[in-house]
């Protein structure tokens, strides 16, 4: 496993997980810290779409984020985070993240629990803030002022399962 406490990961460039790439069967714990200006982008003609500007999680991985700032990260899918494993986010701030296709801040195809924090000012053609094809649970926090530039869902696009027992999705 690995972890980061109040560090900075800035300006990373890679195909997947320009800030951090979580390989299968790994665990990552983030307590605070700042992820800024990381870009998951073009790799080759065969793999043209980068995922997870700040963090990319392969299947069978676990991510726990408590606090921290994810600002101005970019990717094809999942401007800040791309989840294929299991992630829990509490108290983090996601601002001005962008995806050129889906999930301006977060793309989830695994299991994501959002226990507080905020997502704002993010954009993508589909799912300005969050694009969900897995299981997304929201118990607290706010998704606001994010934009879908093509297909709707400025706050959230859901093609999977959403469980919402708290929090707000507004002004998207």
């Amino acid at each position: 496993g690995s972890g980061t406490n109040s560090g900075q990961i800035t300006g990373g460039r890679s195909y997947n997980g320009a800030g951090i790439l979580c390989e299968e069967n790994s665990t990552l714990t983030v307590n605070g810290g700042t992820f800024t200006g990381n870009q998951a982008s073009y790799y080759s003609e065969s793999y043209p779409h980068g995922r997870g500007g700040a963090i990319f999680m392969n299947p069978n991985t676990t991510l726990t984020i408590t606090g921290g700032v994810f600002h101005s990260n970019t990717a094809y899918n999942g401007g800040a985070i791309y989840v294929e494993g299991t992630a829990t986010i509490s108290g983090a701030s996601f601002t001005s993240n962008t995806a050129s296709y889906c999930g301006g801040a977060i793309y989830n195809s695994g299991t994501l629990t959002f226990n507080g924090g905020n997502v704002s000012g993010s954009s993508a053609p589909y799912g300005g803030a969050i694009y969900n094809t897995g299981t997304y649970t929201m118990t607290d926090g706010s998704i606001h002022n994010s934009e879908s530039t093509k297909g709707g869902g400025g706050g959230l696009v859901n093609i999977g399962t959403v469980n919402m027992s708290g929090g707000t999705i507004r002004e998207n």
Side-chain angles (χ1 to χ4, degrees):
S2 63
T4 181
N5 290 309
S6 298
Q8 293 184 6
I9 297 178
T10 303
R13 301 284 182 269
S14 183
Y15 171 62
N16 284 335
I20 297 175
L21 171 65
C22 296
E23 292 292 351
E24 288 194 47
N25 304 311
S26 67
T27 299
L28 174 64
T29 301
V30 176
N31 294 308
T34 303
F35 294 78
T36 304
N38 298 289
Q39 181 180 0
S41 60
Y42 183 86
Y43 177 70
S44 73
E45 291 294 327
S46 300
Y47 302 99
H49 310 303
R51 301 176 292 177
I55 298 173
F56 176 81
M57 298 177 59
N58 276 295
N60 302 315
T61 56
T62 302
L63 170 65
T64 303
I65 297 173
T66 306
V69 174
F70 294 79
H71 178 72
S72 294
N73 298 287
T74 62
Y76 183 76
N77 285 327
I81 299 175
Y82 191 101
V83 177
E84 286 187 342
T86 301
T88 302
I89 298 171
S90 303
S93 175
F94 294 83
T95 58
S96 302
N97 296 287
T98 58
S100 55
Y101 192 58
C102 295
I106 301 168
Y107 186 108
N108 176 52
S109 64
T111 301
L112 172 62
T113 302
F114 195 78
N115 290 328
N118 72 77
V119 180
S120 66
S122 294
S123 66
Y126 306 97
I130 298 172
Y131 191 89
N132 179 60
T133 64
T135 300
Y136 174 71
T137 301
M138 184 173 185
T139 64
D140 197 4
S142 176
I143 298 171
H144 61 280
N145 297 328
S146 292
E147 178 184 14
S148 170
T149 59
K150 279 195 176 179
L156 171 70
V157 166
N158 178 52
I159 302 173
T161 301
V162 170
N163 303 299
M164 189 169 172
S165 62
T168 59
I169 300 175
R170 63 180 173 82
E171 299 172 17
N172 292 290

